[in-house]
Amino acid sequence: VAAVAAAGPEDLGGARASAAVGPLSLSAHAANEERDPGGYRLLGAVAVLDLGPFLKVRAEAARSRGALFARGGAAGFSRSEDGGYAFGAAGTDGEADALHLEARGALGPVSAEAWWREREAGFSDAEFQEPLAARERGAEVRATLGPIEGALLVAERRGVDPGAPLAPVLLDRLTLVARAGWRGERLGLAVEGVHVERDAPVSGEET
């Protein structure tokens, strides 16, 4: 548990708790930042079921209120709308939810993983800042038989286009990938096909 009181109108606090029973682990976390103007709050919980290489499932749910001001990592920046007189993080003062589900496993020469992630518009934490509702879902299957390997991937992404950092532009894209390869002692050969369908920002497809 941590809490910090600033000299100005700002108070920070947070807590994290976790427990594990056999292959199941649970954790919960909370953070609260009261500042003038605005504020930020994050509540989250994570559940992980780890059955070794055979199956691992992770579920995470979170709710944020407001926008996190000091974000870490490569995306840790603030923006100004008045020429530098005041700074803030992009977002809203409302509440938004996020739900992430992931599973992966392997059986013999075949391995697979699948994911479904949704974040409402306005969700904010140290990793995500969503001015538009975001959704990511897909699955990938890989197989290896001696020197031959193959993979199939289906991935859908809907949310802010990362190629337009100055304004939130909707990106809606479906990607299909098929790959096969052979690997020898001194030589390898691979063939890959990619098909992309877009509904936004413009409609179209390419292969």
Side-chain angles (χ1 to χ4, degrees):
V1 179
V4 177
E10 178 178 310
D11 290 296
L12 308 176
R16 180 184 296 271
S18 61
V21 179
L24 179 64
S25 62
L26 303 172
S27 65
H29 55 273
N32 189 71
E33 176 182 353
E34 296 295 340
R35 61 179 184 267
D36 187 17
Y40 174 74
R41 182 182 67 195
L42 178 68
L43 303 174
V46 180
V48 179
L49 177 64
D50 191 349
L51 301 179
F54 178 68
L55 179 64
K56 183 175 183 179
V57 180
R58 177 186 175 92
E60 181 175 359
R63 166 169 287 209
S64 70
R65 184 196 66 191
L68 180 62
F69 180 79
R71 301 175 64 219
F77 69 93
S78 299
R79 65 184 65 190
S80 174
E81 297 180 352
D82 53 14
Y85 288 98
F87 291 86
T92 65
D93 293 331
E95 296 188 353
D97 297 327
L99 178 63
H100 291 188
L101 302 174
E102 303 175 5
R104 64 182 59 192
L107 182 61
V110 179
S111 62
E113 61 179 314
W115 58 92
W116 188 309
R117 311 181 186 108
E118 293 201 17
R119 297 177 295 277
E120 294 180 345
F123 181 80
S124 174
D125 66 3
E127 184 176 1
F128 300 102
Q129 186 80 45
E130 303 293 1
L132 302 176
R135 182 182 65 207
E136 305 166 30
R137 56 186 179 183
E140 183 178 14
V141 178
R142 298 178 297 274
T144 302
L145 183 60
I148 302 175
E149 57 185 19
L152 293 174
L153 168 70
V154 180
E156 181 190 33
R157 178 175 180 178
R158 179 181 175 88
V160 174
D161 186 353
L166 299 181
V169 177
L170 178 64
L171 174 69
D172 194 348
R173 180 177 65 192
L174 175 66
T175 303
L176 308 174
V177 180
R179 187 178 190 276
W182 171 84
R183 185 182 301 274
E185 294 183 359
R186 302 183 61 182
L187 179 66
L189 182 65
V191 59
E192 183 177 76
V194 180
H195 181 73
V196 179
E197 297 180 1
R198 294 185 180 89
D199 290 330
V202 293
S203 299
E205 59 182 64
E206 57 188 2
T207 302

